[in-house]
Amino acid sequence: MIKRLHLFEQIFKLSKMEELSNGSLTSILVCMLCLFLTVNGGYVKYYTGAGVVPGKLNVHLVAHSHDDVGWLKTVDQYFVGSNNSIQGACVENVLDSVVEALLRDPNRKFVFAEMAFFQRWWVEQSPEIQEQVRKLVDGGRLEFVYAFNHTPRAGWQIDPFGHSAVQAYLLGDELGFDSVHFARIDYQDRAKRKGDKSLEVIWRGSKTFGSSSQIFANAFPVHYSPPTGFQFEVFDDFEPLQDNPLLEDYNVEPRVNDFVEAALTQANVTRDNHVMWTMGDDFQYQYAESWFKQMDKFIHYVNKDGRVNALYSTPSLYTNAKNAAKVSWPLKTDDYFPYADGINAYWTGFFTSRPALKRYVRELSGYYLVRESA
Ligand SMILES: *[C@@H]1O[C@H](CO)[C@@H](O)[C@H](O)[C@H]1NC(C)=O
Ligand SMILES: *[C@@H]1O[C@H](CO)[C@@H](O)[C@H](O)[C@H]1NC(C)=O
């Protein structure tokens, strides 16, 4: 593309260096004015308020940060961001910056699950921030996928290594959730489900209770990260959507094409016209604006393009859309066990450490179901 700014600079230099007649100076000024009018490198108001559009493929952007409550570091080390040589992770930064980013644009949304971190953060906040956060939760913009004086409707079990049918029963019947969302199912099971569009199912945990114990279960097509190329953590090596024509590497059209292509690929493995993009990963959003800035731009330009519809969403909004679709979902009644994430990579050993405790949990789950079904 023509580097208009550079042209502009050249004309400016010329006008200073050379002895110019008044006439030619005027024509240069007029020319510069034209350039000003055609090139817009300034503020752009991004339209980020799209809802679901019937009849189009809707891409639900679900912004999240997966924050293990103790893994390579302790819970407190993760919270305060100490021992970053072990893993660069500070959940306090995530919560601070997400709240700021949500306040910047009323259409942005975020889901958060790890209450152990939220509790540590919450008690340190001023009454003013607490009030703002309450409003974000009440407005459905900060969706807790667990608790906080607000009845959650969606289970966000994105990282457990396999799932027992008892969970479907507990979350659906006992807690009254409408949906559960997770990444980890056996790799061969996933391949098959992608092929016959059965990643999303009605999962019935108890044969006795039948449909009263069921829940909509959404197994992700890849993992809980975004499609390749749409991960926007602050120091990640990604290609930003660059819409300022005065700077290098303007790329709105190719990036919109990338988005549409990734959306159509995913649409191919579901039964209706809604796909969820899990916009996040482990301990991400330490500078939340880096993600939200990109998502704002993608929502704006993708919807201007019009081939698909992109929107800020949450697991609840996504589930509402799925419920509204006139589509029937396959029924599943058993476990997502055992779990292998690749050839010869079975996580069954996961359940052989602390065998006594785990056996105890397994047996009690059985008794529990029997009791509830009696
Ligand atoms: C974590 O950081 C503390 C304080 O710097 C240090 O004393 C401790 O050895 C570190 N722990 C590990 C496991 O590196
Ligand atoms: C959709 O699925 C079909 C059949 O599996 C495949 O041939 C096609 O390439 C897929 N399209 C996209 C966009 O992934």
Side-chain angles (χ1 to χ4, degrees):
M1 80 156 272
I2 300 165
K3 287 284 174 315
R4 291 179 178 121
L5 182 65
H6 297 171
L7 190 62
F8 181 96
E9 281 166 354
Q10 291 306 319
I11 295 169
F12 190 67
K13 277 185 204 143
L14 262 178
S15 67
K16 281 171 104 176
M17 278 160 31
E18 295 188 5
E19 298 283 316
L20 291 163
S21 71
N22 274 349
S24 57
L25 191 58
T26 307
S27 61
I28 282 167
L29 285 174
V30 167
C31 175
M32 284 162 69
L33 194 63
C34 293
L35 287 166
F36 253 132
L37 292 175
T38 55
V39 176
N40 183 356
Y43 172 70
V44 179
K45 166 90 188 125
Y46 297 115
Y47 290 94
T48 55
V52 161
V53 174
K56 265 197 186 175
L57 174 61
N58 289 277
V59 182
H60 294 246
L61 302 181
V62 174
H64 77 101
S65 176
H66 176 63
D67 302 332
D68 299 88
V69 182
W71 176 34
L72 306 176
K73 306 200 286 190
T74 68
V75 183
D76 292 346
Q77 289 169 350
Y78 274 123
F79 179 67
V80 300
S82 61
N83 301 74
N84 269 355
S85 62
I86 300 172
Q87 188 182 14
C90 172
V91 180
E92 201 170 6
N93 284 346
V94 173
L95 286 166
D96 283 339
S97 68
V98 162
V99 168
E100 291 237 331
L102 292 179
L103 294 172
R104 275 192 179 195
D105 178 335
N107 299 312
R108 293 172 171 182
K109 298 183 174 68
F110 191 77
V111 305
F112 197 74
E114 296 85 0
M115 288 296 121
F117 289 125
F118 184 77
Q119 184 273 340
R120 281 165 171 75
W121 181 82
W122 176 256
V123 296
E124 292 180 6
Q125 301 311 304
S126 67
E128 292 74 28
I129 302 259
Q130 290 188 344
E131 191 47 37
Q132 285 170 327
V133 171
R134 277 200 186 91
K135 286 192 181 132
L136 291 174
V137 176
D138 289 342
R141 303 193 33 228
L142 177 59
E143 177 163 320
F144 284 114
V145 266
Y146 281 101
F148 189 62
N149 290 341
H150 221 265
T151 312
R153 294 175 41 210
W156 192 248
Q157 302 269 320
I158 60 174
D159 204 25
F161 285 52
H163 310 267
S164 137
V166 176
Q167 283 290 321
Y169 167 75
L170 289 173
L171 297 178
D173 190 71
E174 297 269 305
L175 295 182
F177 286 9
D178 328 311
S179 65
V180 59
H181 307 260
F182 44 77
R184 295 187 181 276
I185 64 170
D186 181 86
Y187 73 105
Q188 295 168 98
D189 191 19
R190 170 145 38 217
K192 180 182 173 296
R193 288 176 182 283
K194 282 170 77 167
D196 61 15
K197 302 190 176 183
S198 63
L199 283 168
E200 292 172 307
V201 297
I202 299 297
W203 194 16
R204 224 172 247 183
S206 157
K207 284 178 184 148
T208 308
F209 287 142
S211 62
S212 69
S213 73
Q214 70 192 21
I215 191 164
F216 178 75
N218 164 25
F220 304 152
V222 184
H223 194 51
Y224 51 73
S225 38
T228 308
F230 295 91
Q231 180 128 356
F232 307 127
E233 188 64 7
V234 63
F235 290 126
D236 277 357
D237 183 17
F238 62 88
E239 189 185 340
L241 192 157
Q242 210 291 75
D243 60 348
N244 183 341
L246 299 182
L247 305 182
E248 298 279 352
D249 304 324
Y250 177 92
N251 63 5
V252 172
E253 288 77 17
R255 289 302 275 147
V256 166
N257 290 340
D258 294 342
F259 189 103
V260 172
E261 194 182 315
L264 293 178
T265 302
Q266 192 171 336
N268 219 8
V269 299
T270 189
R271 295 186 179 217
D272 60 5
N273 60 358
H274 295 276
V275 294
M276 179 194 281
W277 282 15
T278 44
M279 300 302 292
D281 212 321
D282 295 6
F283 299 98
Q284 309 245 306
Y285 289 74
Q286 296 196 55
Y287 173 58
E289 196 59 28
S290 174
W291 284 85
F292 281 110
K293 193 162 31 189
Q294 291 302 314
M295 288 189 286
D296 285 355
K297 292 185 185 183
F298 273 103
I299 290 173
H300 178 86
Y301 289 107
V302 163
N303 293 349
K304 223 167 141 183
D305 171 89
R307 281 172 286 171
V308 304
N309 178 57
L311 65 150
Y312 279 121
S313 190
T314 65
S316 303
L317 294 174
Y318 178 74
T319 305
N320 291 349
K322 288 283 173 180
N323 277 337
K326 299 274 173 288
V327 167
S328 71
W329 304 100
L331 183 70
K332 180 171 168 71
T333 54
D334 53 0
D335 295 341
Y336 287 93
F337 276 129
Y339 170 62
D341 61 354
I343 296 169
N344 297 331
Y346 280 84
W347 287 82
T348 46
F350 205 55
F351 300 94
T352 57
S353 61
R354 300 180 197 265
L357 182 64
K358 288 171 183 174
R359 174 79 189 172
Y360 195 52
V361 169
R362 188 72 183 149
E363 284 191 355
L364 280 181
S365 304
Y367 285 131
Y368 189 78
L369 258 193
V370 169
R371 189 188 72 85
E372 291 295 322
S373 326

